[in-house]
């Protein structure tokens, strides 16, 4: 009889504690000019999750993006939304929560990345009555060549010389 009560208490305790979820997604190879937008799966209320989004970068690129808690009325919500970018060897490169522009519900990040393999890890707990859902969007562009910077500096120097000459003509 005691064994039955103990097993029943254990099952009840585990069901009240919520569940965990882990999904792995493969975004493939990302190239300059790529725009990605997607949604996570819907998580049941009380579910803690950690999703992994794998991707490769073929050539160096600049990227900017965001991950956002999708709050639909009072039906869906995620607390403790967190995201970080890692190299394929598990070295954390960027914690989106540490970005000053990030909030509890929207995390922002940007940077210049070398060719290689990476992954994002997104985690949180679904707390809405119908669970939780998050969305993300990423935009990429090629890294400017060094010659582009030289041309820009030459152009700025030319504009400065013209402005100086005009100021001299007025005096």
């Amino acid at each position: 009889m005691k064994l039955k009560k103990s097993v029943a208490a254990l099952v009840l305790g585990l069901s009240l504690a919520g569940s965990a979820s882990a999904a792995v997604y493969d975004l493939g190879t990302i190239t300059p000019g790529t725009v990605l937008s997607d949604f996570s799966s819907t998580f049941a209320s009380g579910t803690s999750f950690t999703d992994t989004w794998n991707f490769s970068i073929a050539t160096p690129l600049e990227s900017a993006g965001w991950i956002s808690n999708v709050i639909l009325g009072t039906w869906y919500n995620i607390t403790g939304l967190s995201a970080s970018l890692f190299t394929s060897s598990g070295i954390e490169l960027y914690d989106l929560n540490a970005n000053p522009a990030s909030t509890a519900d929207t995390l922002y990040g940007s940077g210049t990345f070398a060719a290689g393999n990476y992954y994002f890890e997104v985690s949180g707990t679904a707390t809405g009555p119908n669970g939780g859902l998050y969305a993300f969007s990423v935009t990429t562009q090629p890294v400017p060549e060094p010659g582009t910077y030289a041309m820009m500096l030459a152009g700025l120097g030319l504009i400065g010389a013209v402005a100086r000459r005009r100021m001299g003509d007025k005096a």
Side-chain angles (χ1 to χ4, degrees):
M1 187 68 163
K2 283 186 177 186
L3 180 61
K4 284 184 183 180
K5 286 183 181 180
S6 297
V7 170
L10 178 63
V11 169
L12 179 62
L14 290 175
S15 66
L16 293 175
S19 59
S21 172
V24 177
Y25 302 96
D26 186 4
L27 298 173
T29 301
I30 296 175
T31 57
T34 299
V35 177
L36 297 171
S37 294
D38 208 341
F39 286 92
S40 67
S41 300
T42 304
F43 306 103
S45 187
T47 302
S48 294
F49 64 90
T50 300
D51 288 347
T52 302
W53 297 82
N54 296 314
F55 61 96
S56 296
I57 295 177
T59 60
L61 55 78
E62 291 183 349
S63 179
W66 54 263
I67 295 173
S68 184
N69 177 13
V70 177
I71 303 171
L72 299 173
T74 59
W75 301 319
Y76 292 96
N77 192 28
I78 294 173
T79 57
L81 183 64
S82 178
S84 290
L85 175 68
F86 295 88
T87 64
S88 60
S89 58
I91 298 169
E92 184 178 38
L93 295 177
Y94 197 84
D95 176 2
L96 276 68
N97 295 77
N99 186 325
S102 293
T103 67
D105 292 319
T106 305
L107 309 176
Y108 298 96
S110 63
T112 302
F113 303 98
N117 297 314
Y118 300 88
Y119 66 92
F120 271 106
E121 207 169 74
V122 181
S123 61
T125 302
T127 56
N130 291 335
L133 175 69
Y134 67 86
F136 76 88
S137 181
V138 175
T139 304
T140 65
Q141 63 185 16
V143 174
E145 296 293 328
T148 305
Y149 289 115
M151 191 180 308
M152 181 182 71
L153 289 173
L156 288 173
L158 185 60
I159 289 171
V162 169
R164 177 176 272 189
R165 182 174 178 202
R166 285 189 181 176
M167 292 298 284
D169 289 346
K170 288 183 180 182

